[in-house]
Structures are given as structure tokens and as C-alpha cells.
Amino acid sequence: MRTKNTLLILLITLFCASNANARETFASCGGSNGYTYYVLGGFVSESAAGYTKDAIQDGTIQFTHADYKDWDVVQIDGFKKPYSAKGNGGSVTFVGGTENGFNIMVFYPTDTIEVYTLRPLTNEVTWVQSKSNSQMSKATVMKANCLFQ
């Protein structure tokens, strides 16, 4: 009997420990629409520079967390391939907010900053990206509809 109790306690402990770091999806957002401003230079020609409508039709953005800490932003492309911000060298920070929306920032040390404002009351996310490297400099603002878990 004592061996069964010890085994049961061990199994419960292992189950709880394995789920302690389990990631949960907080929101899953569909395609994004908005505008991008391309700066002349690098691979951007004079005819391509300036504001343009922009869209990511077949993509998905997921916001995941472990116990409302350790956030990640996972972009899923049209081929269903996931790109984790953390997995690609990004630093993801929950910035805070109010009941009207809260912010998550992603900082890639090479050339990009992204800020996502999640709005559960209106089932949407708005996000901005600023990117500058030798090939391209651009600023993007987008909106997507979301399903909050």
C-alpha cells in the first residue's frame, strides 16, 4: 500500500511539473491588413518608396504564454510553418495596459521592433513593426481579427 501511495504521489508530481511550463494560446489572430511605408534606399527603388497598402492574407498570429508569464508571438505563414519570436532571437515583453487593451513588445537585436496591442473587448490586435537594415527600412501598421481563448 505504501508503495502505491508513493508511486501515486510521484506520478502527480511529475504531471504537475510537466504542465507547469505548458504553453497556452491566449489569442489566435487571422490575416492582417494595413499600410507600410518603405524608405528609399537599399533594395527599395524610388518607384517603390513611400506608403502602400499591405496585407498578410494567409497568415496567423498566435500569442502564447506559460501561466501568463513567458509570452511568445508565433507567426504562422501560408504554408502553416510557425515562426516563434523567441525561437528566432527575439525578446518578448508583456508591457501592460488596461481592460481596453494591453501591449506585447518584441525586440529583435538585429534590426526590428514590433509592438502588438491586443484588444479582447473588440476581438482584434493592432500591431506596428519598425525595421531597418542595409537592404530595407520600413514601418508597418496592421490590424487583424482575433479569437481570444
Side-chain angles (χ1 to χ4, degrees):
M1 180 74 168
R2 187 169 181 194
T3 304
K4 285 184 181 179
N5 286 342
T6 304
L7 182 59
L8 181 61
I9 290 170
L10 177 63
L11 289 174
I12 291 171
T13 303
L14 287 174
F15 176 77
C16 291
S18 67
N19 286 327
N21 292 321
R23 298 205 69 74
E24 293 184 43
T25 300
F26 180 79
S28 185
C29 307
S32 297
N33 292 291
Y35 290 89
T36 296
Y37 178 79
Y38 291 93
V39 178
L40 175 64
F43 292 144
V44 179
S45 66
E46 190 171 334
S47 63
Y51 286 100
T52 184
K53 277 191 170 189
D54 203 351
I56 304 170
Q57 296 298 333
D58 295 328
T60 301
I61 307 170
Q62 291 183 341
F63 299 89
T64 66
H65 64 87
D67 196 29
Y68 294 96
K69 302 173 195 143
D70 188 31
W71 288 84
D72 197 3
V73 178
V74 180
Q75 302 267 356
I76 302 171
D77 66 16
F79 298 105
K80 306 298 181 213
K81 183 173 180 181
Y83 295 90
S84 158
K86 290 184 131 189
N88 285 296
S91 172
V92 181
T93 304
F94 177 85
V95 179
T98 69
E99 67 277 357
N100 293 319
F102 60 90
N103 298 300
I104 294 175
M105 184 180 76
V106 180
F107 170 72
Y108 295 95
T110 54
D111 63 2
T112 305
I113 296 173
E114 299 169 342
V115 178
Y116 298 86
T117 303
L118 289 100
R119 295 185 174 86
L121 296 178
T122 57
N123 294 314
E124 65 185 3
V125 62
T126 53
W127 57 278
V128 296
Q129 179 191 70
S130 182
K131 181 177 207 161
S132 187
N133 58 42
S134 62
Q135 299 167 347
M136 176 186 344
S137 185
K138 69 176 189 166
T140 300
V141 60
M142 296 276 204
K143 177 208 170 278
N145 294 323
C146 301
L147 176 62
F148 290 84
Q149 317 306 332

